[in-house]
Structures are given as C-alpha cells and as structure tokens.
Amino acid sequence: MPNVACAMLDKHKPVLLQESIEALDIQDGEIFLDGTLGGGGHSEEVLRRFPTTRIIGLDRDPEAVKRVREKLNIEIRVENFRHLDKVLEELEVRKVDAILLDLGLSSDQLETSGRGFSFLRDEPLDMRMSNEGIKAKDLLNSWDQHAIELVLHGFGEERDSRKIAEEIVRRRGIKPFETTFELVEAVLKVKPRSFRDKIHPATKTFQALRIAVNEELTNLEIGLEKGFKALDANGRFVVISFHSLEDRIVKNFFRDKVGLGLAKRVTSLYSARGNKPITASMEEIDENPRSRSAKLRVIEKI
Ligand SMILES: C[S@@+](CC[C@H](N)C(=O)[O-])C[C@H]1O[C@@H](n2cnc3c(N)ncnc32)[C@H](O)[C@@H]1O
C-alpha cells in the first residue's frame, strides 16, 4: 500500500480504467507489459484483480519509475517503449499476453514536475519526459524559423504556425527563451485571448513542442510495431490516445493488422456504431476532465 507521503504525490487518476481492464482481458498467470507506467494506476488495478500476473512496467521518466517502485512490487525499467524488445530480451521473456500504452503525460508531469509542460505555470521550458534529447527552449532558440513552423503546424495543427514561428524568432533575437510564460507571451502577441476561445491560444503550440521534443509520434509507430511483434497469439494490444495525431496512427496500424488477417477487432467492446474507439463516460469526464479526449482502441493478435 502507498504510504501517506506517496499517496499525496500520487495524483494521476488512471483513465478508462474499467474499460482498459476489460480490453486487456488478463487471465491467471499471464504476462502483461505496461509500456507507460505513469502513476502506476493501471498496473496497480491489474495486480489487485489478477495477483498472479507477471507485470513488466516501463516509463521513460525516471521520476515516475521511482514513485511506482515505492508502491508496486513488479518488474520495472526506466525505458522508452520504443525499446521494449530490448527489455524483454534482457528479461528473457519471449512473448507477452497483453500490452497497454496509455499515451501522453501523467498529471504528475503536467502539474508538479516543474519541467514546463503547462502554459498555466511559469517554469523552465524543458518539456522532456526523460532526461534525454533537446530541451524545448533549445529547440526554440536554435531551430530555423521554417522548422519551428513545421513543428507547430505538423504536431499542433496550429493555423497560425507561420506567424507564431516568426514571432518566436523575432523575440529570441532580443533574448533567448527560458521559461513557459515567455513562450505564452509570444503566442498571445499573435493570437490575443478572446472570449470566443474554447481553448487557451497556446494549447496547440505547447502540444506541438512537447511532441517534437519527445519524438512522441515516432516512438508510437516503433512501439506499435515492436509491441505487436512481442504479443503472443490471442494477445491483446490496448492503446489509449489523447489527440487526433496519435489516434490516427493507432487506428491505421490496427486497421492494417486486421486487414492483413493478423489480428481481429474485439467486437464486444466496440460500440454498435462500427469502428469507433471507446471513450469516457460522462461520469468519468466529470470526475476527471483529462479523460475527455481519451480514445481507447484494442485488437487481439491471431
Ligand atoms: C498518461 S501517463 C500513464 C498513466 C498510467 N497508465 C496510470 O494509470 O498511472 C503516460 C506515461 O507514459 C510515459 N511515456 C510517454 N511516452 C513514453 C515512451 N515512449 N516510453 C515510455 N514511457 C512513455 C510518460 O512519461 C507518462 O509517465
């Protein structure tokens, strides 16, 4: 059980928990790979319901791993799920029975990591989930204007990508970017807040930068391929995504595997309206607004 200090820090609420458990469909003694441990919420529930499961948990964020190690007695590695094959080889695990990728950020990363993921807090502009790769501020201070525009457009679907990139380059000529609020100011110069805004004007810029810094879409493509390879026959692959770029990759990957006859859709779980992903109930959204954009997809390997 988590101790009190740990429980206070342990703020991340697992999204689509009941639906994930159903989709993972773990049986006694199976091997489950949790590729995105986060706060350990999904793994904890698997362990609670199916105590004989062998759980292998990965997270690229050493701080997340440290916290989960304190509360769960499972096999844990600090690793990017794009290297899951390496981890399984080291553990001498040939095949796994179920995989979960619950993508994106945990609430702990967003709210308390101090790494500049949120435009609501003035923090150093780092945005790395792990300690590797380029920091967001270094990307903004060194990439050329066109490359920044491509990031904002490609990973944020930001309509004002050209103007924002121009403003970023103008400002960094005066003073290099250091903090989140400096970036928010640059975006607001181009897109001032309006009462008509449904989302904060900096939302897409922050999403785009985070995806670029962490190479999230490439990791997902590689993780899906390697994960599917590592699954045993009848193994279940469950992915929860939080924005359309991720969901498109998952949808197409799963559709291709089904189309090739290598996997089947788990029809009992999908809505009667066809190939729609599973989404959160109104009750869950009320309780945990983060679940609003979550989409769960699952396939079973043949
Ligand atoms: C939404 S949280 C997972 C929450 C978890 N399912 C729970 O219920 O507590 C996503 C986690 O995935 C991690 N992550 C994102 N991309 C990753 C990758 N490519 N490899 C490993 N971990 C990754 C993040 O560091 C974060 O801790």
Side-chain angles (χ1 to χ4, degrees), residues 237-254:
F237 205 152
V238 178
V239 185
I240 305 174
S241 63
F242 289 87
H243 55 76
S244 56
L245 297 170
E246 285 173 345
D247 184 53
R248 204 173 304 148
I249 292 174
V250 179
K251 183 171 80 180
N252 292 341
F253 180 85
F254 282 7

Side-chain angles (χ1 to χ4, degrees), residues 139-284:
L139 187 158
L140 292 180
N141 291 330
S142 66
W143 285 23
D144 74 33
Q145 186 174 315
H146 185 56
I148 295 174
E149 180 185 337
L150 287 180
V151 165
L152 301 184
H153 180 72
F155 297 154
E157 298 176 315
E158 171 56 71
R159 283 201 200 167
D160 291 307
S161 55
R162 191 179 54 76
K163 287 195 204 143
I164 296 173
E166 228 168 67
E167 183 63 18
I168 287 170
V169 169
R170 190 184 71 76
R171 286 182 178 233
R172 79 185 186 194
I174 302 166
K175 179 185 170 299
F177 283 89
E178 284 294 337
T179 68
T180 42
F181 277 10
E182 288 166 0
L183 178 59
V184 172
E185 266 176 38
V187 177
L188 290 178
K189 180 83 184 16
V190 176
K191 301 171 63 166
R193 279 206 91 152
S194 144
F195 68 91
R196 283 190 301 267
D197 287 339
K198 289 208 184 92
I199 56 170
H200 188 286
T203 307
K204 291 179 173 182
T205 295
F206 271 65
Q207 173 189 304
L209 259 182
R210 197 199 85 203
I211 292 176
V213 162
N214 294 290
E215 299 184 0
E216 289 179 36
L217 302 184
T218 310
N219 290 331
L220 178 57
E221 283 164 358
I222 298 174
L224 286 172
E225 282 296 350
K226 290 189 174 173
F228 192 74
K229 215 166 155 192
L231 268 185
D232 210 344
N234 305 320
R236 287 79 56 198
F237 205 152
V238 178
V239 185
I240 305 174
S241 63
F242 289 87
H243 55 76
S244 56
L245 297 170
E246 285 173 345
D247 184 53
R248 204 173 304 148
I249 292 174
V250 179
K251 183 171 80 180
N252 292 341
F253 180 85
F254 282 7
R255 191 201 51 208
D256 290 352
K257 294 296 176 213
V258 172
L260 288 167
L262 300 172
K264 61 181 183 193
R265 294 177 60 232
V266 184
T267 42
S268 59
L269 284 168
Y270 280 102
S271 73
R273 287 174 299 134
N275 192 16
K276 293 259 189 300
I278 296 159
T279 52
S281 63
M282 289 313 292
E283 295 81 60
E284 180 172 1

